[in-house]
Amino acid sequence: MTVAAGPVFSLQEIPFSFRGSWFGFSPVIGEKTYAQDVHLVSHQTGMHPILQLIPTVEGVRAETTVTAAPHRLTWAHETGRIDLAYENQDTVRVRGEGLGLRLLAADPALTPFSGPYFYAEPGDGSWVFTLYQTGRRYRITLLAGRAEPLGSQTLGTAERGVVLTGDGGQWEIAVEEYETARAPYAETKDFEQVAASARAAFEAFRDTVTPWRSDRTPAADLAAYVLWSATVRPAGFVTRPAVLMSKHWMDKVWSWDHCFNAIALAGGLPELAWDQFRLVFDHQDAAGALPDSVTHSEVLYNFVKPPIHGWALGRLRPLHEGEPAEVYRLLERWTTFWLTARRAPGRELAHYQHGNDSGWDNATTFDAERLVESADLAAFLVLQMRELARLAGELARPEASDRWTQAAGRMRDALIAELWDGDRFVTRGVHSGRTWSSDSLLDLMPIVLGDELPASVRDLLAARIEKHLTVFGLATELPTSPHYLDDGYWRGPIWAPSTVLIEDGLRRAGYADLADEISARFRALCEKSGFAENFDARSGTGLRDRAYTWTASAYLILAAAHEHRESAAGSEQS
């Protein structure tokens, strides 16, 4: 399959999908696994390639050019074309002329516990796949032209699907994902009306989320599409409309990623933004901990994620004014978890049990030991306790407000007294009591405390942060470190969350020029390399999952703030 850059995006980079849908269309069928053909890939019960779409000429595979825009996916060939558009979140329409299509089960093997079963529906003449992998059905209804089924009711290993020859003029089908049964498909719009409706749906979302966009923010449209297309309707353990991290293999909601998506959506879609923030709290456990991640059929608690939720609430305040008591209760339980289950006896500072708890899984901060008291965690908890004090004040609970204010002060003081060595923050092993420093950007994360840090500490942190700044942004490991790796996950590459947190902290600490430079370089990186999970800090190349929503959200957060500063500066000059 030859893929050309479409009017908006390449299908090799970003799946074609629709807000609310649990499936998309992509050649990416697993982690770092690219198929020859575009597949319908579902994310119910995991990431599963369901159907492969093979364009043909006279029954033979045709090499086509695939282009994608938010409302239309197209296969083009000198003999004709195929177009695909979403009618709604669980139905697509596919139309062809001059090209045929083999729509086949991605997995040819049917066993008693896996694979596809295919049959003709006697009631309406449609064809249906029922799959063990997702536990869902996929119905194909012929709307125009001629089609032949393959492998109906066949057991074992076989080719199963529908063949549209393309030699009888224009053909068209509808493809649906559903559970057990539904009424026969009824066509109410022609294909162009379906595509136009999909386009209008995306553009309404984009205009609402990015009303500030200008020619200075050329990636805003694509960032909005990444968020829009990665959104799924409530199903399984996903209790609210949710923006998955990706509709590639990172198809979960992790318990800190969601904060950045919430912030990016807050200005235009406050209800959807609040759903992003609240979703993981729907799975808060008896100890008050948030899960590591949530997806359609799985909630994991073996690790947690860092408590950045107080920081995030500071950015989301208008959204939760209607339920401050509930927000206070949830945030208090999450904070208390850290202060009880994650503090060693007699210790003021909380600890991580593994790098995964910090979100920086393999950062060099954790090389010496894994159970550590780290400066970033203390800083996040200070911010969280400050937010609890503010909420308690709003709720007219002065004693609780004073208690949280004092607790925040004690932790801030312990952070400085115990982990600041006069030159830098160190990390302390919970069991050994020994301390060490690293070249990880994580050690500089206490800048999120802004002007709450002493001026001398702020100055040294800002100077060290600047050393991590490459042409493309903040490397997560100092580029001169012997442990730096171009594709080392948290040991070098540029990441969106660290960029947003540090940029925000620097700005509140009084280092606006450095914050501006970090923002500008990260925005330029996204405009050059898209919205990858992370980026090579020296070349700017996108790495790992290439359609990551928190990266798109980080771009929108930084771009919106920059546009607002530009507008304010222009107003002052005029």
Side-chain angles (χ1 to χ4, degrees), residues 205-212 260-274 315-316 318-319 556-557 560 564:
F205 176 92
R206 178 203 62 196
D207 293 347
T208 302
V209 172
T210 63
W212 40 262
F260 300 94
N261 289 342
I263 293 167
L265 293 168
L269 293 169
E271 185 175 344
L272 182 60
W274 192 236
R315 306 283 295 263
L316 297 171
L319 273 64
L556 295 177
I557 291 166
H564 293 149

Side-chain angles (χ1 to χ4, degrees), residues 44-106:
Q44 299 201 65
T45 77
M47 181 184 186
H48 301 289
I50 307 301
L51 302 174
Q52 55 182 327
L53 290 82
I54 306 171
T56 62
V57 174
E58 296 181 351
V60 178
R61 180 193 301 274
E63 285 295 319
T64 59
T65 298
V66 179
T67 57
H71 65 292
R72 187 191 299 258
L73 180 61
T74 299
W75 292 256
H77 187 269
E78 60 185 9
T79 64
R81 60 185 284 160
I82 298 170
D83 292 293
L84 185 152
Y86 276 84
E87 183 168 347
N88 55 51
Q89 59 193 12
D90 60 23
T91 304
V92 296
R93 294 270 287 274
V94 191
R95 180 185 66 182
E97 186 166 12
L99 278 176
L101 179 69
R102 291 171 65 84
L103 189 61
L104 305 178

Side-chain angles (χ1 to χ4, degrees), residues 170-402:
Q170 192 174 89
W171 56 262
E172 188 170 348
I173 57 174
V175 182
E176 304 163 87
E177 180 183 57
Y178 62 101
E179 278 73 49
T180 56
R182 61 168 46 181
Y185 176 82
E187 181 180 358
T188 59
K189 300 178 182 177
D190 66 29
F191 184 90
E192 290 303 325
Q193 289 173 321
V194 167
S197 179
R199 179 172 185 167
F202 165 67
E203 290 180 350
F205 176 92
R206 178 203 62 196
D207 293 347
T208 302
V209 172
T210 63
W212 40 262
R213 71 188 186 282
S214 73
D215 56 5
R216 294 186 298 262
T217 59
D221 281 33
L222 188 56
Y225 176 76
V226 170
L227 291 178
W228 181 78
S229 63
T231 304
V232 294
R233 67 185 182 276
F237 289 117
V238 176
T239 51
R240 301 163 182 267
V243 180
L244 302 179
M245 288 311 103
S246 174
K247 279 185 182 169
H248 286 325
W249 60 86
M250 301 293 280
D251 55 354
K252 297 184 178 184
V253 176
W254 275 269
S255 292
W256 69 312
D257 310 43
H258 69 115
C259 292
F260 300 94
N261 289 342
I263 293 167
L265 293 168
L269 293 169
E271 185 175 344
L272 182 60
W274 192 236
D275 281 333
Q276 304 322 297
F277 186 82
R278 281 296 308 274
L279 190 151
V280 298
F281 284 92
D282 291 344
H283 298 281
Q284 196 168 22
D285 75 2
L290 298 181
D292 182 40
S293 63
V294 179
T295 191
H296 179 275
S297 300
E298 170 187 274
V299 182
L300 299 181
Y301 292 93
N302 55 321
F303 292 107
V304 293
K305 285 293 174 276
I308 68 165
H309 302 82
W311 168 82
L313 276 173
R315 306 283 295 263
L316 297 171
R317 284 178 186 170
L319 273 64
H320 61 79
E321 290 176 349
E323 48 178 317
E326 178 67 1
V327 173
Y328 177 85
R329 182 184 70 84
L330 297 171
L331 192 64
E332 181 182 45
R333 293 185 64 228
W334 176 220
T335 308
T336 300
F337 161 79
W338 287 97
L339 301 182
T340 54
R342 290 300 184 88
R343 284 207 289 201
R347 304 300 304 160
E348 181 64 42
L349 299 176
H351 62 264
Y352 293 129
Q353 294 176 343
H354 186 278
N356 288 2
D357 285 340
S358 74
W360 293 52
D361 309 2
N362 67 333
T364 53
T365 300
F366 303 96
D367 279 0
E369 299 178 32
R370 258 57 65 194
L371 269 72
V372 301
E373 295 170 355
S374 65
D376 68 297
L377 176 55
F380 291 143
L381 286 171
V382 170
L383 292 178
Q384 196 141 295
M385 289 187 282
R386 295 287 186 214
E387 191 66 20
L388 282 167
R390 186 191 66 79
L391 285 167
E394 287 184 2
L395 293 167
R397 300 178 186 175
E399 291 183 1
S401 183
D402 289 345

Side-chain angles (χ1 to χ4, degrees), residues 79-151:
T79 64
R81 60 185 284 160
I82 298 170
D83 292 293
L84 185 152
Y86 276 84
E87 183 168 347
N88 55 51
Q89 59 193 12
D90 60 23
T91 304
V92 296
R93 294 270 287 274
V94 191
R95 180 185 66 182
E97 186 166 12
L99 278 176
L101 179 69
R102 291 171 65 84
L103 189 61
L104 305 178
D107 181 358
L110 174 64
T111 78
F113 303 105
S114 67
Y117 174 62
F118 182 60
Y119 63 93
E121 172 58 52
D124 60 11
S126 64
W127 298 284
V128 179
F129 290 93
T130 178
L131 266 79
Y132 279 99
Q133 283 89 331
T134 62
R136 302 304 187 273
R137 294 167 193 260
Y138 301 85
R139 181 168 68 185
I140 301 164
T141 302
L142 183 66
L143 305 179
R146 297 196 301 269
E148 295 293 333
L150 294 174

Side-chain angles (χ1 to χ4, degrees), residues 25 36 119 166 172 215 254 273 309 422 427 432 454 469 543:
F25 292 85
Q36 181 179 6
Y119 63 93
E172 188 170 348
D215 56 5
W254 275 269
H309 302 82
T427 301
S432 69
L469 191 56
L543 302 171

